[in-house]
Amino acid sequence: MLHRMAPRKSTIPDKHLSHGEAFEQFIGRVYLTAVRLGTPGRAGLRGTGLSDAEIDHAMTELIARELILPSTERDVWSVAPPREAISRYASQVERRLALSLSTASEVEAIWRRAVGTGQPNPHPNFDLLGSAEDIADRLIGLHRVATTRFWWALENSAATRLLLERSAEDDSVLSLRKGMDIRIVFDTSLLDNALAMALLEGGHAQGHAIRVGNGVPLSLALCDDRSAMVDLSSFDPTGEGSIEVRGRAPLLAVEKLLDEIWQLATPFGPTVEAASRSSGDRAPLDPRDQRILSLLSSGMSDQVIARQAGVSVRTVERRVRYILDHLGAATRFQAGVQAVRRGWVE
């Protein structure tokens, strides 16, 4: 949007001021001129070779973008603090772009019906996706446009692995706004994946509601009340058959399935935090055993717990027996239930 150009007389005819890249270059030049003037006025802008029509057109647009602020004084404006204003405007543009990407297939279907090319889509609320890359792109887009709710169940699919790789390269691609209703369930098959563990623990640190489930049937995502994703790339690496759905009935179906997965999953959280808040029956465990119990309650195997806790598998087996004895549990499942009841884990 911003281009460093020396002030010069505009070569853009007034009738072309609202077209394409030339318009963005024009707006960028006027904005930088206004910033240099400090308190831009019509006389100062005229001195750079701008016509009154160009000044009116540019300042109207810059005010709409909240980069320039109107003034009570005629033909004088003020510049909004650039760092905050440019960041705010960039976020607005990014959100519009993400929304455009997330609706591209729907618009394509409308266009094809209008011009009569291809077979009409008998189900306009369903978009078939052709690859794991398409699934990953859609999920990233849904993260960016979500405003009120994002529910997500992940299992070890081709699209999930691709998303984890992209998130490792840029942790902003799967970021979500604060204050939303966020539920994320990781299948235990992902807990041996370092990238998945980094995403899980990072989400927990941000205050997201995170759970772990054994046998999540497929990857699903629900964004607000606008769209849902069904990722089938664990059954076919190409992602064939995966869909993005809209419309009340399919969204309610995905919502119900995600809620069932959520209810069956185990909350993930550091045991030491729960133990420090609980009263009475405090966990008689040192930090290492508290960590092992937290991972055990999340459904991890001894091998995965050993890697995450930085100890040997034999040590994990010995400490799990010790924990089971203290909880009076005969099985790992019973241990998890008892630990939650006693407030040792969340």
Side-chain angles (χ1 to χ4, degrees):
M1 198 280 294
L2 302 181
H3 300 266
R4 293 188 176 276
M5 300 174 62
R8 58 178 175 81
K9 182 176 179 60
S10 174
T11 59
I12 305 174
D14 291 350
K15 65 180 180 179
H16 292 150
L17 287 182
S18 60
H19 294 280
E21 183 62 25
F23 179 65
E24 289 301 319
Q25 293 178 3
F26 164 70
I27 288 295
R29 183 170 69 84
V30 176
Y31 177 66
L32 287 177
T33 299
V35 170
R36 292 189 184 104
L37 290 173
T39 304
R42 187 174 296 273
L45 293 169
R46 282 174 179 165
T48 68
L50 293 168
S51 69
D52 282 339
E54 290 172 329
I55 293 171
D56 291 338
H57 202 85
M59 300 311 278
T60 298
E61 178 63 24
L62 289 168
I63 289 172
R65 298 183 185 190
E66 299 182 345
L67 298 171
I68 296 293
L69 304 175
S71 171
T72 56
E73 187 175 351
R74 182 179 175 82
D75 291 335
V76 176
W77 300 269
S78 61
V79 177
R83 180 182 298 173
E84 297 175 9
I86 293 173
S87 296
R88 181 172 57 248
Y89 177 66
S91 295
Q92 293 170 354
V93 171
E94 182 181 10
R95 176 172 167 76
R96 289 198 297 271
L97 287 174
L99 183 59
S100 297
L101 288 172
S102 69
T103 58
S105 294
E106 185 177 4
V107 175
E108 169 88 3
I110 294 171
W111 171 73
R112 289 191 178 279
R113 289 198 299 273
V115 300
T117 61
Q119 294 295 323
N121 182 1
H123 304 291
N125 285 332
F126 292 74
D127 291 338
L128 288 174
L129 305 179
S131 68
E133 288 77 10
D134 287 345
I135 299 168
D137 288 341
R138 292 293 183 95
L139 283 167
I140 290 172
L142 293 181
H143 275 77
R144 289 174 175 166
V145 301
T147 58
T148 59
R149 173 172 66 165
F150 197 88
W151 292 4
W152 194 14
L154 301 86
E155 43 90 43
N156 195 17
S157 70
T160 294
R161 293 192 296 272
L162 181 58
L163 272 173
L164 292 173
E165 292 172 3
R166 292 189 182 180
S167 178
E169 295 170 357
D170 179 2
D171 60 8
S172 68
V173 299
L174 298 181
S175 62
L176 292 165
R177 290 173 175 80
K178 294 181 178 180
M180 292 172 47
D181 176 11
I182 299 171
R183 297 183 183 182
I184 305 175
V185 179
F186 287 79
D187 186 70
T188 52
S189 63
L190 285 168
L191 300 181
D192 199 21
N193 185 316
L195 298 180
M197 285 301 300
L199 182 63
L200 185 154
E201 293 183 332
H204 178 75
Q206 294 175 47
H208 298 338
I210 307 287
R211 293 190 177 186
V212 177
N214 185 19
V216 173
L218 74 168
S219 291
L220 298 163
L222 179 64
C223 173
D224 299 337
D225 293 319
R226 75 166 76 223
S227 185
M229 283 288 307
V230 179
D231 168 18
L232 301 180
S233 62
S234 64
F235 304 96
D236 183 337
T238 67
E240 183 177 356
S242 299
I243 56 173
E244 180 178 359
V245 299
R246 294 169 295 278
R248 183 173 182 273
L251 291 182
L252 286 174
V254 172
E255 177 183 28
K256 183 175 181 180
L257 181 53
L258 278 168
D259 188 58
E260 290 291 334
I261 292 171
W262 177 259
Q263 297 301 331
L264 293 171
T266 302
F268 176 86
T271 305
V272 65
E273 293 181 9
S276 66
R277 292 194 300 272
S278 64
S279 59
D281 190 10
R282 301 287 289 274
L285 307 172
D286 61 25
R288 181 188 61 181
D289 284 350
Q290 289 175 338
R291 172 69 169 164
I292 290 174
L293 176 58
S294 180
L295 299 173
L296 170 69
S297 299
S298 297
M300 297 185 187
S301 67
D302 289 348
Q303 289 76 15
V304 175
I305 293 174
R307 279 191 289 273
Q308 295 299 324
V311 297
S312 69
V313 174
R314 178 169 292 185
T315 297
V316 171
E317 293 171 347
R318 186 170 60 252
R319 302 319 298 169
V320 167
R321 285 196 297 271
Y322 171 82
I323 292 169
L324 264 59
D325 288 343
H326 270 74
L327 287 167
T331 66
R332 299 162 74 97
F333 177 77
Q334 290 177 359
V337 172
Q338 288 296 327
V340 170
R341 287 177 176 173
R342 298 187 188 191
W344 292 8
V345 294
E346 296 179 309

